PDB file of all heavy atoms in Angstrom:
ATOM      1  N   GLU V1415      -1.953 -12.776  10.971  1.00 93.00           N
ATOM      2  CA  GLU V1415      -1.754 -14.232  10.911  1.00 93.00           C
ATOM      3  C   GLU V1415      -3.048 -14.986  10.635  1.00 93.00           C
ATOM      4  O   GLU V1415      -3.015 -16.104  10.108  1.00 93.00           O
ATOM      5  CB  GLU V1415      -1.140 -14.727  12.223  1.00 93.00           C
ATOM      6  CG  GLU V1415       0.270 -14.219  12.496  1.00 93.00           C
ATOM      7  CD  GLU V1415       1.333 -15.014  11.742  1.00 93.00           C
ATOM      8  OE1 GLU V1415       0.966 -15.755  10.808  1.00 93.00           O
ATOM      9  OE2 GLU V1415       2.509 -14.882  12.091  1.00 93.00           O
ATOM     10  N   SER V1416      -4.186 -14.401  10.945  1.00 94.00           N
ATOM     11  CA  SER V1416      -5.463 -15.095  10.750  1.00 94.00           C
ATOM     12  C   SER V1416      -5.965 -15.010   9.314  1.00 94.00           C
ATOM     13  O   SER V1416      -6.940 -15.680   8.958  1.00 94.00           O
ATOM     14  CB  SER V1416      -6.526 -14.503  11.677  1.00 94.00           C
ATOM     15  OG  SER V1416      -6.813 -13.151  11.331  1.00 94.00           O
ATOM     16  N   LEU V1417      -5.313 -14.199   8.479  1.00 95.00           N
ATOM     17  CA  LEU V1417      -5.799 -13.938   7.130  1.00 95.00           C
ATOM     18  C   LEU V1417      -5.138 -14.836   6.095  1.00 95.00           C
ATOM     19  O   LEU V1417      -3.999 -15.267   6.268  1.00 95.00           O
ATOM     20  CB  LEU V1417      -5.544 -12.474   6.757  1.00 95.00           C
ATOM     21  CG  LEU V1417      -6.199 -11.418   7.659  1.00 95.00           C
ATOM     22  CD1 LEU V1417      -5.739 -10.025   7.266  1.00 95.00           C
ATOM     23  CD2 LEU V1417      -7.726 -11.525   7.584  1.00 95.00           C
ATOM     24  N   GLU V1418      -5.851 -15.106   5.002  1.00 94.00           N
ATOM     25  CA  GLU V1418      -5.293 -15.818   3.860  1.00 94.00           C
ATOM     26  C   GLU V1418      -4.467 -14.848   3.018  1.00 94.00           C
ATOM     27  O   GLU V1418      -4.360 -13.660   3.334  1.00 94.00           O
ATOM     28  CB  GLU V1418      -6.401 -16.464   3.035  1.00 94.00           C
ATOM     29  CG  GLU V1418      -7.203 -17.520   3.787  1.00 94.00           C
ATOM     30  CD  GLU V1418      -6.328 -18.664   4.273  1.00 94.00           C
ATOM     31  OE1 GLU V1418      -5.455 -19.127   3.503  1.00 94.00           O
ATOM     32  OE2 GLU V1418      -6.498 -19.089   5.433  1.00 94.00           O
ATOM     33  N   LEU V1419      -3.905 -15.362   1.919  1.00 92.00           N
ATOM     34  CA  LEU V1419      -2.946 -14.570   1.142  1.00 92.00           C
ATOM     35  C   LEU V1419      -3.536 -13.262   0.624  1.00 92.00           C
ATOM     36  O   LEU V1419      -3.019 -12.177   0.937  1.00 92.00           O
ATOM     37  CB  LEU V1419      -2.427 -15.405  -0.027  1.00 92.00           C
ATOM     38  CG  LEU V1419      -1.470 -14.673  -0.985  1.00 92.00           C
ATOM     39  CD1 LEU V1419      -0.198 -14.247  -0.260  1.00 92.00           C
ATOM     40  CD2 LEU V1419      -1.150 -15.556  -2.178  1.00 92.00           C
ATOM     41  N   MET V1420      -4.581 -13.327  -0.184  1.00 92.00           N
ATOM     42  CA  MET V1420      -5.130 -12.110  -0.786  1.00 92.00           C
ATOM     43  C   MET V1420      -5.690 -11.152   0.271  1.00 92.00           C
ATOM     44  O   MET V1420      -5.455  -9.943   0.196  1.00 92.00           O
ATOM     45  CB  MET V1420      -6.191 -12.467  -1.831  1.00 92.00           C
ATOM     46  CG  MET V1420      -5.663 -13.285  -3.001  1.00 92.00           C
ATOM     47  SD  MET V1420      -4.529 -12.349  -4.055  1.00 92.00           S
ATOM     48  CE  MET V1420      -5.703 -11.676  -5.237  1.00 92.00           C
ATOM     49  N   PRO V1421      -6.425 -11.651   1.271  1.00 95.00           N
ATOM     50  CA  PRO V1421      -6.863 -10.732   2.321  1.00 95.00           C
ATOM     51  C   PRO V1421      -5.712 -10.041   3.044  1.00 95.00           C
ATOM     52  O   PRO V1421      -5.858  -8.903   3.517  1.00 95.00           O
ATOM     53  CB  PRO V1421      -7.649 -11.641   3.275  1.00 95.00           C
ATOM     54  CG  PRO V1421      -8.190 -12.712   2.387  1.00 95.00           C
ATOM     55  CD  PRO V1421      -7.092 -12.973   1.398  1.00 95.00           C
ATOM     56  N   ARG V1422      -4.545 -10.686   3.149  1.00 96.00           N
ATOM     57  CA  ARG V1422      -3.393 -10.005   3.738  1.00 96.00           C
ATOM     58  C   ARG V1422      -2.996  -8.793   2.889  1.00 96.00           C
ATOM     59  O   ARG V1422      -2.630  -7.737   3.422  1.00 96.00           O
ATOM     60  CB  ARG V1422      -2.220 -10.977   3.868  1.00 96.00           C
ATOM     61  CG  ARG V1422      -2.429 -12.025   4.934  1.00 96.00           C
ATOM     62  CD  ARG V1422      -1.242 -12.971   5.114  1.00 96.00           C
ATOM     63  NE  ARG V1422      -1.545 -13.971   6.143  1.00 96.00           N
ATOM     64  CZ  ARG V1422      -0.677 -14.814   6.651  1.00 96.00           C
ATOM     65  NH1 ARG V1422       0.580 -14.823   6.218  1.00 96.00           N
ATOM     66  NH2 ARG V1422      -1.040 -15.685   7.586  1.00 96.00           N
ATOM     67  N   GLY V1423      -3.076  -8.949   1.557  1.00 95.00           N
ATOM     68  CA  GLY V1423      -2.767  -7.820   0.690  1.00 95.00           C
ATOM     69  C   GLY V1423      -3.740  -6.675   0.870  1.00 95.00           C
ATOM     70  O   GLY V1423      -3.333  -5.503   0.965  1.00 95.00           O
ATOM     71  N   TRP V1424      -5.029  -6.980   0.926  1.00 97.00           N
ATOM     72  CA  TRP V1424      -6.027  -5.930   1.117  1.00 97.00           C
ATOM     73  C   TRP V1424      -5.892  -5.271   2.490  1.00 97.00           C
ATOM     74  O   TRP V1424      -6.060  -4.052   2.627  1.00 97.00           O
ATOM     75  CB  TRP V1424      -7.435  -6.510   0.956  1.00 97.00           C
ATOM     76  CG  TRP V1424      -7.802  -6.821  -0.454  1.00 97.00           C
ATOM     77  CD1 TRP V1424      -7.952  -8.056  -1.014  1.00 97.00           C
ATOM     78  CD2 TRP V1424      -8.049  -5.884  -1.504  1.00 97.00           C
ATOM     79  NE1 TRP V1424      -8.278  -7.948  -2.341  1.00 97.00           N
ATOM     80  CE2 TRP V1424      -8.356  -6.624  -2.674  1.00 97.00           C
ATOM     81  CE3 TRP V1424      -8.049  -4.491  -1.568  1.00 97.00           C
ATOM     82  CZ2 TRP V1424      -8.663  -6.020  -3.891  1.00 97.00           C
ATOM     83  CZ3 TRP V1424      -8.347  -3.888  -2.781  1.00 97.00           C
ATOM     84  CH2 TRP V1424      -8.649  -4.640  -3.927  1.00 97.00           C
ATOM     85  N   HIS V1425      -5.592  -6.070   3.495  1.00 97.00           N
ATOM     86  CA  HIS V1425      -5.423  -5.531   4.847  1.00 97.00           C
ATOM     87  C   HIS V1425      -4.240  -4.568   4.904  1.00 97.00           C
ATOM     88  O   HIS V1425      -4.329  -3.495   5.518  1.00 97.00           O
ATOM     89  CB  HIS V1425      -5.225  -6.698   5.819  1.00 97.00           C
ATOM     90  CG  HIS V1425      -5.139  -6.297   7.255  1.00 97.00           C
ATOM     91  ND1 HIS V1425      -6.103  -5.528   7.886  1.00 97.00           N
ATOM     92  CD2 HIS V1425      -4.190  -6.563   8.210  1.00 97.00           C
ATOM     93  CE1 HIS V1425      -5.765  -5.336   9.150  1.00 97.00           C
ATOM     94  NE2 HIS V1425      -4.606  -5.948   9.367  1.00 97.00           N
ATOM     95  N   MET V1426      -3.163  -4.906   4.230  1.00 97.00           N
ATOM     96  CA  MET V1426      -2.018  -3.991   4.207  1.00 97.00           C
ATOM     97  C   MET V1426      -2.316  -2.747   3.384  1.00 97.00           C
ATOM     98  O   MET V1426      -1.794  -1.662   3.675  1.00 97.00           O
ATOM     99  CB  MET V1426      -0.779  -4.709   3.677  1.00 97.00           C
ATOM    100  CG  MET V1426      -0.103  -5.578   4.727  1.00 97.00           C
ATOM    101  SD  MET V1426       1.521  -6.182   4.206  1.00 97.00           S
ATOM    102  CE  MET V1426       1.018  -7.515   3.131  1.00 97.00           C
ATOM    103  N   ALA V1427      -3.152  -2.879   2.341  1.00 98.00           N
ATOM    104  CA  ALA V1427      -3.564  -1.687   1.596  1.00 98.00           C
ATOM    105  C   ALA V1427      -4.298  -0.717   2.509  1.00 98.00           C
ATOM    106  O   ALA V1427      -4.073   0.505   2.463  1.00 98.00           O
ATOM    107  CB  ALA V1427      -4.454  -2.090   0.425  1.00 98.00           C
ATOM    108  N   ASP V1428      -5.157  -1.246   3.379  1.00 98.00           N
ATOM    109  CA  ASP V1428      -5.841  -0.384   4.352  1.00 98.00           C
ATOM    110  C   ASP V1428      -4.850   0.204   5.347  1.00 98.00           C
ATOM    111  O   ASP V1428      -4.999   1.347   5.787  1.00 98.00           O
ATOM    112  CB  ASP V1428      -6.921  -1.177   5.080  1.00 98.00           C
ATOM    113  CG  ASP V1428      -8.062  -1.589   4.163  1.00 98.00           C
ATOM    114  OD1 ASP V1428      -8.260  -0.926   3.119  1.00 98.00           O
ATOM    115  OD2 ASP V1428      -8.756  -2.577   4.484  1.00 98.00           O
ATOM    116  N   GLY V1429      -3.828  -0.578   5.695  1.00 97.00           N
ATOM    117  CA  GLY V1429      -2.793  -0.057   6.583  1.00 97.00           C
ATOM    118  C   GLY V1429      -2.012   1.083   5.944  1.00 97.00           C
ATOM    119  O   GLY V1429      -1.646   2.057   6.625  1.00 97.00           O
ATOM    120  N   LEU V1430      -1.750   0.986   4.646  1.00 97.00           N
ATOM    121  CA  LEU V1430      -1.083   2.081   3.938  1.00 97.00           C
ATOM    122  C   LEU V1430      -1.948   3.334   3.968  1.00 97.00           C
ATOM    123  O   LEU V1430      -1.451   4.448   4.187  1.00 97.00           O
ATOM    124  CB  LEU V1430      -0.789   1.667   2.497  1.00 97.00           C
ATOM    125  CG  LEU V1430       0.283   0.596   2.301  1.00 97.00           C
ATOM    126  CD1 LEU V1430       0.343   0.147   0.845  1.00 97.00           C
ATOM    127  CD2 LEU V1430       1.654   1.103   2.761  1.00 97.00           C
ATOM    128  N   LYS V1431      -3.225   3.166   3.747  1.00 97.00           N
ATOM    129  CA  LYS V1431      -4.140   4.305   3.812  1.00 97.00           C
ATOM    130  C   LYS V1431      -4.104   4.948   5.194  1.00 97.00           C
ATOM    131  O   LYS V1431      -4.148   6.180   5.334  1.00 97.00           O
ATOM    132  CB  LYS V1431      -5.561   3.829   3.492  1.00 97.00           C
ATOM    133  CG  LYS V1431      -6.645   4.880   3.667  1.00 97.00           C
ATOM    134  CD  LYS V1431      -6.494   6.026   2.701  1.00 97.00           C
ATOM    135  CE  LYS V1431      -7.681   6.986   2.818  1.00 97.00           C
ATOM    136  NZ  LYS V1431      -7.511   8.191   1.973  1.00 97.00           N
ATOM    137  N   HIS V1432      -3.974   4.108   6.205  1.00 96.00           N
ATOM    138  CA  HIS V1432      -3.956   4.581   7.589  1.00 96.00           C
ATOM    139  C   HIS V1432      -2.699   5.394   7.898  1.00 96.00           C
ATOM    140  O   HIS V1432      -2.744   6.335   8.709  1.00 96.00           O
ATOM    141  CB  HIS V1432      -4.049   3.361   8.518  1.00 96.00           C
ATOM    142  CG  HIS V1432      -4.244   3.668   9.951  1.00 96.00           C
ATOM    143  ND1 HIS V1432      -5.374   4.284  10.441  1.00 96.00           N
ATOM    144  CD2 HIS V1432      -3.444   3.439  11.030  1.00 96.00           C
ATOM    145  CE1 HIS V1432      -5.267   4.421  11.747  1.00 96.00           C
ATOM    146  NE2 HIS V1432      -4.111   3.919  12.137  1.00 96.00           N
ATOM    147  N   ALA V1433      -1.581   5.046   7.262  1.00 96.00           N
ATOM    148  CA  ALA V1433      -0.292   5.643   7.632  1.00 96.00           C
ATOM    149  C   ALA V1433       0.240   6.671   6.640  1.00 96.00           C
ATOM    150  O   ALA V1433       1.129   7.447   6.976  1.00 96.00           O
ATOM    151  CB  ALA V1433       0.746   4.538   7.811  1.00 96.00           C
ATOM    152  N   LEU V1434      -0.260   6.668   5.411  1.00 95.00           N
ATOM    153  CA  LEU V1434       0.186   7.632   4.402  1.00 95.00           C
ATOM    154  C   LEU V1434      -0.619   8.927   4.494  1.00 95.00           C
ATOM    155  O   LEU V1434      -1.665   8.965   5.162  1.00 95.00           O
ATOM    156  CB  LEU V1434       0.020   7.019   3.003  1.00 95.00           C
ATOM    157  CG  LEU V1434       1.029   5.943   2.604  1.00 95.00           C
ATOM    158  CD1 LEU V1434       0.542   5.190   1.360  1.00 95.00           C
ATOM    159  CD2 LEU V1434       2.409   6.551   2.365  1.00 95.00           C
ATOM    160  N   PRO V1435      -0.177   9.972   3.814  1.00 94.00           N
ATOM    161  CA  PRO V1435      -0.954  11.225   3.810  1.00 94.00           C
ATOM    162  C   PRO V1435      -2.370  11.004   3.279  1.00 94.00           C
ATOM    163  O   PRO V1435      -2.603  10.133   2.435  1.00 94.00           O
ATOM    164  CB  PRO V1435      -0.152  12.130   2.869  1.00 94.00           C
ATOM    165  CG  PRO V1435       1.238  11.614   2.925  1.00 94.00           C
ATOM    166  CD  PRO V1435       1.113  10.131   3.107  1.00 94.00           C
ATOM    167  N   ASP V1436      -3.309  11.807   3.757  1.00 94.00           N
ATOM    168  CA  ASP V1436      -4.682  11.683   3.312  1.00 94.00           C
ATOM    169  C   ASP V1436      -4.836  12.005   1.831  1.00 94.00           C
ATOM    170  O   ASP V1436      -5.722  11.461   1.168  1.00 94.00           O
ATOM    171  CB  ASP V1436      -5.595  12.600   4.125  1.00 94.00           C
ATOM    172  CG  ASP V1436      -5.765  12.122   5.567  1.00 94.00           C
ATOM    173  OD1 ASP V1436      -5.592  10.905   5.802  1.00 94.00           O
ATOM    174  OD2 ASP V1436      -6.064  12.947   6.439  1.00 94.00           O
ATOM    175  N   ASN V1437      -3.988  12.881   1.329  1.00 96.00           N
ATOM    176  CA  ASN V1437      -4.033  13.243  -0.081  1.00 96.00           C
ATOM    177  C   ASN V1437      -3.561  12.059  -0.928  1.00 96.00           C
ATOM    178  O   ASN V1437      -2.404  11.644  -0.848  1.00 96.00           O
ATOM    179  CB  ASN V1437      -3.153  14.476  -0.334  1.00 96.00           C
ATOM    180  CG  ASN V1437      -3.225  14.934  -1.782  1.00 96.00           C
ATOM    181  OD1 ASN V1437      -2.735  14.265  -2.683  1.00 96.00           O
ATOM    182  ND2 ASN V1437      -3.838  16.091  -1.987  1.00 96.00           N
ATOM    183  N   TYR V1438      -4.472  11.508  -1.737  1.00 97.00           N
ATOM    184  CA  TYR V1438      -4.158  10.290  -2.475  1.00 97.00           C
ATOM    185  C   TYR V1438      -2.960  10.461  -3.390  1.00 97.00           C
ATOM    186  O   TYR V1438      -2.080   9.591  -3.455  1.00 97.00           O
ATOM    187  CB  TYR V1438      -5.378   9.848  -3.286  1.00 97.00           C
ATOM    188  CG  TYR V1438      -5.100   8.675  -4.205  1.00 97.00           C
ATOM    189  CD1 TYR V1438      -5.075   7.367  -3.709  1.00 97.00           C
ATOM    190  CD2 TYR V1438      -4.842   8.870  -5.567  1.00 97.00           C
ATOM    191  CE1 TYR V1438      -4.801   6.296  -4.546  1.00 97.00           C
ATOM    192  CE2 TYR V1438      -4.568   7.796  -6.401  1.00 97.00           C
ATOM    193  CZ  TYR V1438      -4.549   6.514  -5.888  1.00 97.00           C
ATOM    194  OH  TYR V1438      -4.266   5.451  -6.716  1.00 97.00           O
ATOM    195  N   GLU V1439      -2.889  11.548  -4.120  1.00 97.00           N
ATOM    196  CA  GLU V1439      -1.807  11.721  -5.078  1.00 97.00           C
ATOM    197  C   GLU V1439      -0.464  11.862  -4.382  1.00 97.00           C
ATOM    198  O   GLU V1439       0.561  11.365  -4.879  1.00 97.00           O
ATOM    199  CB  GLU V1439      -2.108  12.903  -5.995  1.00 97.00           C
ATOM    200  CG  GLU V1439      -3.371  12.652  -6.831  1.00 97.00           C
ATOM    201  CD  GLU V1439      -3.547  13.623  -7.979  1.00 97.00           C
ATOM    202  OE1 GLU V1439      -2.609  14.392  -8.260  1.00 97.00           O
ATOM    203  OE2 GLU V1439      -4.620  13.595  -8.605  1.00 97.00           O
ATOM    204  N   GLN V1440      -0.439  12.496  -3.228  1.00 95.00           N
ATOM    205  CA  GLN V1440       0.797  12.537  -2.444  1.00 95.00           C
ATOM    206  C   GLN V1440       1.175  11.131  -1.973  1.00 95.00           C
ATOM    207  O   GLN V1440       2.358  10.752  -2.004  1.00 95.00           O
ATOM    208  CB  GLN V1440       0.624  13.469  -1.245  1.00 95.00           C
ATOM    209  CG  GLN V1440       0.541  14.939  -1.603  1.00 95.00           C
ATOM    210  CD  GLN V1440       0.378  15.812  -0.367  1.00 95.00           C
ATOM    211  OE1 GLN V1440       0.502  15.341   0.773  1.00 95.00           O
ATOM    212  NE2 GLN V1440       0.088  17.095  -0.580  1.00 95.00           N
ATOM    213  N   ALA V1441       0.176  10.377  -1.543  1.00 96.00           N
ATOM    214  CA  ALA V1441       0.439   9.017  -1.069  1.00 96.00           C
ATOM    215  C   ALA V1441       1.007   8.155  -2.197  1.00 96.00           C
ATOM    216  O   ALA V1441       1.965   7.390  -1.984  1.00 96.00           O
ATOM    217  CB  ALA V1441      -0.854   8.410  -0.519  1.00 96.00           C
ATOM    218  N   VAL V1442       0.444   8.264  -3.394  1.00 97.00           N
ATOM    219  CA  VAL V1442       0.944   7.493  -4.529  1.00 97.00           C
ATOM    220  C   VAL V1442       2.378   7.874  -4.860  1.00 97.00           C
ATOM    221  O   VAL V1442       3.223   7.012  -5.144  1.00 97.00           O
ATOM    222  CB  VAL V1442       0.027   7.687  -5.755  1.00 97.00           C
ATOM    223  CG1 VAL V1442       0.743   7.287  -7.048  1.00 97.00           C
ATOM    224  CG2 VAL V1442      -1.238   6.846  -5.601  1.00 97.00           C
ATOM    225  N   ASP V1443       2.677   9.171  -4.821  1.00 96.00           N
ATOM    226  CA  ASP V1443       4.052   9.611  -5.095  1.00 96.00           C
ATOM    227  C   ASP V1443       5.040   8.967  -4.126  1.00 96.00           C
ATOM    228  O   ASP V1443       6.142   8.556  -4.518  1.00 96.00           O
ATOM    229  CB  ASP V1443       4.152  11.138  -5.002  1.00 96.00           C
ATOM    230  CG  ASP V1443       3.526  11.833  -6.204  1.00 96.00           C
ATOM    231  OD1 ASP V1443       3.352  11.171  -7.238  1.00 96.00           O
ATOM    232  OD2 ASP V1443       3.212  13.033  -6.088  1.00 96.00           O
ATOM    233  N   ILE V1444       4.649   8.877  -2.877  1.00 96.00           N
ATOM    234  CA  ILE V1444       5.527   8.278  -1.863  1.00 96.00           C
ATOM    235  C   ILE V1444       5.725   6.790  -2.161  1.00 96.00           C
ATOM    236  O   ILE V1444       6.847   6.269  -2.121  1.00 96.00           O
ATOM    237  CB  ILE V1444       4.937   8.486  -0.458  1.00 96.00           C
ATOM    238  CG1 ILE V1444       4.998   9.973  -0.079  1.00 96.00           C
ATOM    239  CG2 ILE V1444       5.682   7.645   0.579  1.00 96.00           C
ATOM    240  CD1 ILE V1444       4.208  10.324   1.163  1.00 96.00           C
ATOM    241  N   LEU V1445       4.642   6.080  -2.471  1.00 96.00           N
ATOM    242  CA  LEU V1445       4.747   4.655  -2.774  1.00 96.00           C
ATOM    243  C   LEU V1445       5.655   4.414  -3.981  1.00 96.00           C
ATOM    244  O   LEU V1445       6.511   3.517  -3.955  1.00 96.00           O
ATOM    245  CB  LEU V1445       3.362   4.059  -3.040  1.00 96.00           C
ATOM    246  CG  LEU V1445       2.436   3.891  -1.833  1.00 96.00           C
ATOM    247  CD1 LEU V1445       1.099   3.295  -2.281  1.00 96.00           C
ATOM    248  CD2 LEU V1445       3.061   3.011  -0.762  1.00 96.00           C
ATOM    249  N   LEU V1446       5.475   5.203  -5.017  1.00 97.00           N
ATOM    250  CA  LEU V1446       6.275   5.008  -6.222  1.00 97.00           C
ATOM    251  C   LEU V1446       7.736   5.336  -5.988  1.00 97.00           C
ATOM    252  O   LEU V1446       8.632   4.685  -6.540  1.00 97.00           O
ATOM    253  CB  LEU V1446       5.718   5.849  -7.369  1.00 97.00           C
ATOM    254  CG  LEU V1446       4.289   5.503  -7.826  1.00 97.00           C
ATOM    255  CD1 LEU V1446       3.933   6.294  -9.078  1.00 97.00           C
ATOM    256  CD2 LEU V1446       4.138   4.009  -8.095  1.00 97.00           C
ATOM    257  N   GLU V1447       7.988   6.317  -5.169  1.00 96.00           N
ATOM    258  CA  GLU V1447       9.373   6.691  -4.879  1.00 96.00           C
ATOM    259  C   GLU V1447      10.088   5.581  -4.115  1.00 96.00           C
ATOM    260  O   GLU V1447      11.314   5.442  -4.201  1.00 96.00           O
ATOM    261  CB  GLU V1447       9.414   7.990  -4.077  1.00 96.00           C
ATOM    262  CG  GLU V1447      10.800   8.593  -3.933  1.00 96.00           C
ATOM    263  CD  GLU V1447      10.799   9.897  -3.156  1.00 96.00           C
ATOM    264  OE1 GLU V1447       9.701  10.458  -2.942  1.00 96.00           O
ATOM    265  OE2 GLU V1447      11.889  10.351  -2.761  1.00 96.00           O
ATOM    266  N   SER V1448       9.337   4.760  -3.395  1.00 96.00           N
ATOM    267  CA  SER V1448       9.944   3.699  -2.587  1.00 96.00           C
ATOM    268  C   SER V1448      10.225   2.427  -3.379  1.00 96.00           C
ATOM    269  O   SER V1448      10.823   1.486  -2.845  1.00 96.00           O
ATOM    270  CB  SER V1448       9.035   3.365  -1.399  1.00 96.00           C
ATOM    271  OG  SER V1448       7.875   2.656  -1.811  1.00 96.00           O
ATOM    272  N   LEU V1449       9.814   2.374  -4.650  1.00 96.00           N
ATOM    273  CA  LEU V1449       9.938   1.143  -5.419  1.00 96.00           C
ATOM    274  C   LEU V1449      11.381   0.899  -5.876  1.00 96.00           C
ATOM    275  O   LEU V1449      12.102   1.839  -6.204  1.00 96.00           O
ATOM    276  CB  LEU V1449       9.034   1.197  -6.660  1.00 96.00           C
ATOM    277  CG  LEU V1449       7.531   1.305  -6.421  1.00 96.00           C
ATOM    278  CD1 LEU V1449       6.803   1.379  -7.755  1.00 96.00           C
ATOM    279  CD2 LEU V1449       7.019   0.139  -5.592  1.00 96.00           C
ATOM    280  N   PRO V1450      11.778  -0.367  -5.962  1.00 94.00           N
ATOM    281  CA  PRO V1450      13.071  -0.709  -6.548  1.00 94.00           C
ATOM    282  C   PRO V1450      12.979  -0.656  -8.068  1.00 94.00           C
ATOM    283  O   PRO V1450      11.900  -0.411  -8.620  1.00 94.00           O
ATOM    284  CB  PRO V1450      13.295  -2.146  -6.060  1.00 94.00           C
ATOM    285  CG  PRO V1450      11.905  -2.697  -5.975  1.00 94.00           C
ATOM    286  CD  PRO V1450      11.033  -1.555  -5.510  1.00 94.00           C
ATOM    287  N   PRO V1451      14.072  -0.929  -8.788  1.00 94.00           N
ATOM    288  CA  PRO V1451      14.011  -0.952 -10.252  1.00 94.00           C
ATOM    289  C   PRO V1451      13.039  -2.021 -10.748  1.00 94.00           C
ATOM    290  O   PRO V1451      12.732  -2.985 -10.044  1.00 94.00           O
ATOM    291  CB  PRO V1451      15.450  -1.277 -10.666  1.00 94.00           C
ATOM    292  CG  PRO V1451      16.280  -0.842  -9.495  1.00 94.00           C
ATOM    293  CD  PRO V1451      15.443  -1.104  -8.285  1.00 94.00           C
ATOM    294  N   PRO V1452      12.542  -1.886 -11.984  1.00 94.00           N
ATOM    295  CA  PRO V1452      11.605  -2.869 -12.539  1.00 94.00           C
ATOM    296  C   PRO V1452      12.217  -4.256 -12.640  1.00 94.00           C
ATOM    297  O   PRO V1452      13.437  -4.420 -12.686  1.00 94.00           O
ATOM    298  CB  PRO V1452      11.284  -2.318 -13.932  1.00 94.00           C
ATOM    299  CG  PRO V1452      11.600  -0.861 -13.856  1.00 94.00           C
ATOM    300  CD  PRO V1452      12.754  -0.746 -12.896  1.00 94.00           C
ATOM    301  N   ARG V1453      11.344  -5.260 -12.684  1.00 91.00           N
ATOM    302  CA  ARG V1453      11.783  -6.633 -12.928  1.00 91.00           C
ATOM    303  C   ARG V1453      12.365  -6.754 -14.331  1.00 91.00           C
ATOM    304  O   ARG V1453      11.956  -6.033 -15.241  1.00 91.00           O
ATOM    305  CB  ARG V1453      10.596  -7.597 -12.818  1.00 91.00           C
ATOM    306  CG  ARG V1453      10.063  -7.818 -11.434  1.00 91.00           C
ATOM    307  CD  ARG V1453       8.930  -8.838 -11.486  1.00 91.00           C
ATOM    308  NE  ARG V1453       7.777  -8.324 -12.223  1.00 91.00           N
ATOM    309  CZ  ARG V1453       6.816  -9.075 -12.757  1.00 91.00           C
ATOM    310  NH1 ARG V1453       6.900 -10.396 -12.661  1.00 91.00           N
ATOM    311  NH2 ARG V1453       5.801  -8.541 -13.391  1.00 91.00           N
TER     312      ARG V1453
END
């Protein structure tokens, strides 16, 4: 709640790093699999 818009995005990016697998490519696969269809 104390953060502005863009810092909230960066803070959540760090949160994803904290909760996803340490292996970056595995983490990316998980993120992409969770996406809805394109706009």
Side-chain angles (χ1 to χ4, degrees):
E1415 294 279 15
S1416 65
L1417 301 174
E1418 297 300 317
L1419 176 63
M1420 298 292 269
R1422 289 182 181 189
W1424 286 109
H1425 184 54
M1426 280 191 282
D1428 293 337
L1430 290 172
K1431 174 65 174 175
H1432 189 65
L1434 286 166
D1436 290 335
N1437 183 291
Y1438 174 80
E1439 297 193 10
Q1440 290 180 10
V1442 161
D1443 286 341
I1444 291 169
L1445 288 180
L1446 297 187
E1447 190 179 347
S1448 73
L1449 297 179
R1453 289 182 294 160

